[in-house]
Amino acid sequence: MIRALVLILPVLVLPLQAQSLSLPDWLGLEGHAEEGGSVRPIVSEIVEDRGQDARWVPGVVASKTQVTMAFQTLGRMVSRPVDLGDRVERGDVLANLASEDLAATTRAAEAALAAAEVQRDTARLTLERTQALAARNVATAAQLEQAQRAAAAAEAGAEQAQSELVQARDAQSYARMTAPFAGVVSAVYEAPGSVLGAGTPVLQLSAEDQREALIDLPEPALAGLPADAVFTIWQLSDPNRQVRATLDRIDPTADSATRTRRLYLTLPPDAPFRLGALIRARLGTASEPALMLSSSAIFQRDGAPHVWRVLRNGEAAHVEAVPITPAADFDGRVLVSQGLNPGDEVVIRGVNSLTDGQAVGERVQP
């Protein structure tokens, strides 16, 4: 067997040397070497605003005008004609306090004012008589001064009594709570029969004419967020009814527990969402798309962020470096405010190994 192999090897070697063929050519792999140097496929994504499939955050619908109603005086609440969810008009009675004690205080103030007015009138007459006697040198200067002081004190006493009567009447009127504007009762805190102090919350009244959506976002998502950012709002139960909302304001401080900040989005007057409804919100609208891109697609060139945009012409394709302006960062995805258009194809893997004008192959979805 060994002698047979020794005899065969020279037979194989001699043809190769005679024809000067390389090993790949002799094996028939001349086409495979060319294929090994072909253009590489790329992992890319199409930049677009993907509707409700894009990243969204939960939120709730609230009233822009919302007040907590309370009595301005101490008393026992005897009635509350409204309940949670009731709609009221401006001036409607919301609750009442027991008014017997307040009415008695008012009557006492009225009596005190009447007595003070009698003392004031008496002091005025005494002053007039003393002035007449002093003019005939019958009354002394000391008597005149005493009459003047008594008259001034009586005037002050009457004014004080008048002020106390006004306060008593105001306190009596505080026993009736009325709606300062038309709205809906969005919360109830106290029931009839409770003894309340001045300022104790009784119920919450929310106006329906101006509604807003409340969402919470982490601090990184707010960096670069435009002041006039637009959002799309919808409900899970009716995803086809989408509403455009605009950013109104952002809480200046973060929540101590979640470390998020609250955003207030103004809804249009005809928005089909009730107060307290759960909603979903995403950045951008159909007419004003928010172009989101994977953060792995961004690379730095000359200190500025760039991405590789793929230009395809039939089967041929190459890449070009495009400067962009990134805005907010949403959990690994970046909002691009300038530099890209909807429908652009952008490389998101291996961005540091490409060069301008480099030919690339077919697209591989991530």
Side-chain angles (χ1 to χ4, degrees), residues 7 22 64 67 72 84 91 102 119 154 192 249 285 363:
L7 292 175
S22 64
K64 193 172 184 178
V67 296
Q72 295 179 247
L84 184 65
L102 298 174
Q119 293 180 356
R249 63 195 186 279
T285 63
R363 173 176 179 250

Side-chain angles (χ1 to χ4, degrees), residues 33-349:
E34 214 173 278
E35 292 176 7
S38 62
V39 292
R40 55 177 254 192
I42 56 170
V43 180
S44 63
E45 70 175 46
I46 304 301
V47 180
E48 59 184 349
D49 187 11
R50 292 169 296 181
Q52 66 176 17
D53 294 330
R55 294 180 181 270
W56 55 268
V57 293
V60 66
V61 177
S63 174
K64 193 172 184 178
T65 304
Q66 187 169 276
V67 296
T68 300
M69 304 296 297
F71 288 105
Q72 295 179 247
T73 185
L74 172 68
R76 181 174 57 87
M77 184 167 64
V78 294
S79 66
R80 196 195 65 217
V82 297
D83 208 342
L84 184 65
D86 289 348
R87 285 184 170 86
V88 298
E89 298 296 330
R90 181 176 180 179
D92 287 353
V93 178
L94 304 179
N96 291 289
L97 290 178
S99 59
E100 292 82 1
D101 293 341
L102 298 174
T105 303
T106 301
R107 290 193 297 271
E110 290 174 347
L113 175 61
E117 288 176 345
V118 170
Q119 293 180 356
R120 178 196 61 191
D121 295 341
T122 302
R124 286 177 179 175
L125 293 175
T126 301
L127 176 61
E128 291 174 0
R129 289 196 298 268
T130 305
Q131 289 174 340
L133 294 174
R136 298 196 304 266
N137 293 325
V138 176
T140 62
Q143 292 174 333
L144 179 60
E145 292 177 359
Q146 183 178 1
Q148 289 174 342
R149 287 194 298 269
E155 290 284 352
E159 292 181 0
Q160 181 179 0
Q162 179 67 37
S163 298
E164 291 175 352
L165 176 60
V166 171
Q167 290 178 356
R169 288 174 175 172
D170 287 343
Q172 187 174 0
S173 67
Y174 294 156
R176 171 184 256 188
M177 179 187 295
T178 58
F181 52 81
V184 61
V185 179
S186 54
V188 172
Y189 306 114
E190 296 291 345
S194 303
V195 177
L196 308 175
T200 301
V202 176
L203 55 85
Q204 182 175 270
L205 185 63
S206 301
E208 292 187 290
D209 55 344
Q210 290 184 324
R211 286 168 293 171
E212 55 188 6
L214 279 56
I215 61 175
D216 298 319
L217 290 179
E219 196 73 30
L222 301 178
L225 187 69
D228 57 348
V230 294
F231 290 78
T232 298
I233 307 297
W234 75 96
Q235 287 184 294
L236 179 61
S237 59
D238 192 5
N240 294 324
R241 298 185 66 180
Q242 298 186 355
V243 174
R244 180 182 184 273
T246 56
L247 178 62
D248 181 49
R249 63 195 186 279
I250 303 175
D251 271 350
T253 58
D255 184 84
S256 59
T258 62
R259 307 312 302 169
T260 58
R261 290 170 64 183
R262 174 148 294 182
L263 279 68
Y264 299 85
L265 314 178
T266 300
L267 294 171
D270 58 348
F273 310 128
R274 294 176 61 89
L275 293 176
L278 298 178
I279 52 92
R280 293 182 174 186
R282 66 173 178 84
L283 190 62
T285 63
S287 60
E288 302 168 89
L291 302 181
M292 304 292 293
L293 185 66
S294 173
S295 57
S296 62
I298 301 176
F299 66 95
Q300 298 293 323
R301 173 179 287 186
D302 299 329
H306 286 67
V307 298
W308 292 110
R309 179 163 56 192
V310 181
L311 302 179
R312 296 188 181 275
N313 185 12
E315 296 183 358
H318 65 277
V319 294
E320 66 172 356
V322 178
I324 63 170
T325 303
D329 184 0
F330 292 88
D331 192 20
R333 298 190 64 81
V334 178
L335 173 66
V336 179
S337 59
Q338 293 181 355
L340 294 175
N341 298 314
D344 285 347
E345 181 181 354
V346 176
V347 180
I348 62 173
R349 296 289 187 274

